[in-house]
């Protein structure tokens, strides 16, 4: 049944439970068939009201900060695989209490904290993030292997013999990538780190594996992972984020005003690109707008879509509609669940969209609404 938005108060992010379950089912089956571990990256999706659903399929998560590690512990009910570009001494005790695995971005951070880990009561498996200096991600903002990158240790800086405490290696080089991109990356890893692969028990291949995208060759991924696992005798971990929430829901907005300048009509909405869907400006990524076509289409009504912040560039270029837009019309941005809620701000005091879950049988459940107190409470 299609989601019924007729009664919804906008703006609102709406997660479709069945679509999330479909992704989870696929991810779980890749995990089981390849004989590997897959955990969920909170950085893409940390809408914790949905974690009870996630946990039915995938019980663990990766954290990149002390807060994400705590969320894993509290809401996923399991200790996190934690990696951060740099841990602070005052946070580390809590990080250790909430993590089953801790990966360091540099040897200096490892040396700084190795004694703490040794003295910690529960066993923590320790890894190092490596930088294979290979990635086919074209947008520099999302390329961890761009020259001079601060992320991961390059091969020439890693000692031939790893410290005895190191049990794993971690790399993250992909972004919305295919299994064929992973294959090229694994070749680069084998060329540069073959000696190190023989010294560890696990390898974490980071995120960016967009296995739930239509056309992704999951069969190829499974065979690739099986071969790598056998060849190096390693436990493999993948930590995708986007793949979990890919195409699982919308951001529903309304037209508040329509203005015209130099022949350009802009529909001003009750959402903001910079505050609620920043990838549209950063990547730049263009979400689909339901019942409309991208660009200026002859014979149709075309509009820029404007955000409700004062940032001059808070808009998305033209979309064409069959009918003239009217104040109060709903505009639905599709695939708006990953890297949206996790990145929102209250810049300009713009109201934060509510968060809802759609269930085919039960209908719409608004799980969180935001108000003035949330805005005021962020600062002092
Ligand atoms: C270390 C690490 N792991 C996992 C991810 C998740 O990647 P994605 O959401 O593209 O799958 C990221 C994303 O930036 C990352 O930096």
């Amino acid at each position: 049944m299609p989601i019924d938005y007729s009664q919804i108060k906008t703006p609102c992010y709406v997660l479709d439970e069945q679509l999330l379950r479909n992704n989870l089912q696929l991810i779980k089956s890749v995990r089981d068939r390849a004989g590997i571990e897959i955990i969920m990256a909170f950085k893409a999706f940390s809408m914790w009201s949905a974690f009870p659903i996630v946990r039915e399929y995938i019980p663990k998560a990766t954290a990149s900060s002390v807060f994400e590690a705590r969320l894993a512990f509290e809401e996923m009910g399991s200790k996190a695989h934690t990696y951060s570009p740099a841990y602070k001494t005052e946070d580390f005790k809590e990080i250790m209490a909430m993590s089953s695995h801790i990966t360091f971005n540099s040897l200096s951070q490892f040396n700084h904290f190795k004694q703490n880990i040794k003295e910690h009561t529960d066993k923590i498996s320790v890894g190092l993030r490596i930088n294979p200096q290979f990635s086919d991600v074209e947008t520099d903002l999302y390329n961890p292997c761009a020259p001079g990158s601060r992320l991961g240790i390059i091969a020439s800086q890693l000692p031939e013999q790893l410290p005895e405490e190191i049990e794993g290696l971690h790399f993250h080089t992909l972004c919305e990538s295919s299994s064929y991109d992973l294959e090229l990356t694994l070749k680069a890893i084998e060329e540069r780190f073959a000696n190190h692969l023989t010294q560890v028990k696990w390898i974490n291949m980071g995120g960016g594996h967009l296995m739930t995208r239509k056309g992704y060759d999951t069969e190829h991924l499974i065979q690739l992972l099986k071969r790598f696992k056998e060849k190096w005798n390693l436990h493999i971990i993948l930590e995708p984020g986007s793949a979990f929430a890919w195409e699982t829901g919308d951001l529903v907005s309304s037209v508040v005003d329509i203005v015209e300048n130099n022949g350009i009509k802009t529909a001003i909405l009750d959402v903001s690109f910079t505050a609620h869907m920043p990838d549209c400006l950063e990547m730049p990524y263009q979400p689909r707008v339901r019942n409309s076509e991208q660009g200026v289409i002859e014979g149709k009504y075309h509009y820029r879509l404007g955000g409700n912040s004062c940032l001059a560039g808070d808009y998305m270029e033209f979309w064409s509609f069959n009918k003239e837009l009217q104040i109060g019309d709903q505009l639905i941005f599709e695939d708006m669940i990953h890297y949206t809620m996790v990145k929102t701000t209250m810049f300009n005091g713009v109201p934060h969209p509510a968060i809802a879950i759609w269930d085919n049988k039960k209908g719409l459940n608004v799980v969180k609404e935001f108000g003035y107190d949330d805005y005021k409470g962020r600062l002092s």
Side-chain angles (χ1 to χ4, degrees):
M1 153 164 88
I3 304 184
D4 176 8
Y5 287 137
S6 57
Q7 301 303 316
I8 201 169
K9 187 168 167 244
T10 69
C12 188
Y13 293 106
V14 182
L15 171 78
D16 184 325
E17 178 171 336
Q18 189 52 52
L19 297 180
L20 177 66
R21 285 187 185 277
N22 296 349
N23 284 354
L24 288 163
Q25 189 59 49
L26 184 144
I27 292 168
K28 181 173 183 267
S29 98
V30 168
R31 176 194 74 185
D32 295 344
R33 292 184 55 213
I36 61 157
E37 185 173 4
I38 302 185
I39 60 182
M40 185 173 80
F42 279 179
K43 47 178 81 66
F45 178 64
S46 47
M47 180 184 153
W48 50 270
S49 53
F51 288 180
I53 304 167
V54 174
R55 267 200 327 245
E56 289 177 32
Y57 305 79
I58 296 288
K60 291 199 78 172
T62 179
S64 42
S65 61
V66 63
F67 288 169
E68 283 190 356
R70 185 166 160 192
L71 193 67
F73 196 69
E74 287 181 2
E75 298 297 333
M76 286 288 277
S78 55
K79 288 189 176 180
H81 288 234
T82 306
Y83 156 78
S84 161
Y87 300 104
K88 290 182 77 176
T89 304
E90 61 260 42
D91 293 337
F92 204 69
K93 199 164 163 222
E94 198 173 352
I95 296 256
M96 287 194 298
M98 309 288 171
S99 308
S100 59
H101 294 64
I102 295 182
T103 294
F104 293 98
N105 187 54
S106 70
L107 286 162
S108 64
Q109 277 255 302
F110 163 69
N111 286 322
H112 184 71
F113 290 113
K114 68 180 177 197
Q115 195 54 32
N116 301 59
I117 290 191
K118 211 176 253 173
E119 287 164 10
H120 188 66
T121 41
D122 296 332
K123 157 97 181 133
I124 295 170
S125 192
V126 179
L128 289 177
R129 176 164 175 171
I130 52 173
N131 179 335
Q133 296 172 280
F134 172 87
S135 168
D136 45 18
V137 174
E138 278 163 12
T139 313
D140 267 358
L141 186 65
Y142 291 97
N143 181 3
C145 296
S149 167
R150 72 190 188 293
L151 303 170
I153 307 163
I154 58 176
S156 61
Q157 289 177 349
L158 205 58
E160 282 296 312
Q161 185 62 45
L162 291 174
E164 59 175 0
E165 296 90 342
I166 301 301
E167 293 189 339
L169 295 175
H170 177 292
F171 68 87
H172 170 76
T173 61
L174 303 174
C175 179
E176 299 191 356
S177 303
S178 71
S179 59
Y180 298 92
D181 300 323
L182 174 64
E183 189 166 25
L184 294 175
T185 307
L186 291 180
K187 279 203 182 103
I189 299 269
E190 287 179 323
E191 273 166 26
R192 293 180 170 84
F193 296 97
N195 166 39
H196 302 106
L197 290 173
T198 62
Q199 299 174 43
V200 292
K201 294 181 187 164
W202 54 262
I203 183 157
N204 182 326
M205 300 184 181
H209 315 275
L210 200 44
M211 59 188 85
T212 48
R213 174 156 55 190
K214 232 191 214 133
Y216 187 103
D217 192 345
T218 46
E219 236 15 80
H220 176 254
L221 174 70
I222 291 167
Q223 296 315 321
L224 181 67
L225 294 171
K226 276 183 163 173
R227 279 201 306 275
F228 194 87
K229 186 174 128 152
E230 267 162 41
K231 178 170 176 188
W232 296 101
N233 191 25
L234 286 170
H235 173 64
I236 295 178
I237 304 157
L238 304 186
E239 49 175 38
S242 289
F244 281 82
W246 187 256
E247 302 273 15
T248 55
D250 307 318
L251 174 56
V252 189
S253 71
S254 299
V255 177
V256 182
D257 195 14
I258 296 171
V259 295
E260 187 168 351
N261 177 342
N262 266 320
I264 294 176
K265 277 192 181 162
T266 301
I268 305 185
L269 309 173
D270 59 359
V271 288
S272 157
F273 295 94
T274 188
H276 307 141
M277 30 188 161
D279 272 351
C280 295
L281 304 183
E282 288 176 5
M283 271 290 259
Y285 160 80
Q286 284 267 329
R288 290 184 310 276
V289 181
R290 193 160 303 160
N291 299 326
S292 84
E293 282 178 80
Q294 195 179 352
V296 176
I297 313 273
E298 198 63 32
K300 294 200 175 199
Y301 300 91
H302 51 266
Y303 301 84
R304 253 186 198 168
L305 304 181
N308 57 349
S309 81
C310 298
L311 177 73
D314 189 3
Y315 68 85
M316 204 165 75
E317 275 303 1
F318 295 99
W319 285 79
S320 296
F321 298 80
N322 289 334
K323 290 190 298 192
E324 244 181 304
L325 286 181
Q326 306 292 332
I327 290 169
D329 281 354
Q330 265 183 15
L331 247 57
I332 299 166
F333 293 91
E334 298 182 349
D335 193 19
M336 273 291 138
I337 302 299
H338 55 99
Y339 290 110
T340 50
M341 283 174 250
V342 289
K343 283 187 156 189
T344 52
T345 69
M346 288 188 162
F347 175 56
N348 275 196
V350 292
H352 193 294
I355 296 174
I357 301 180
W358 171 261
D359 175 277
N360 283 340
K361 292 198 190 86
K362 290 185 226 142
L364 196 73
N365 176 19
V366 178
V367 291
K368 175 101 179 164
E369 287 179 292
F370 299 84
Y372 174 68
D373 288 345
D374 297 293
Y375 167 66
K376 191 177 177 192
R378 288 187 64 247
L379 300 178
S380 178

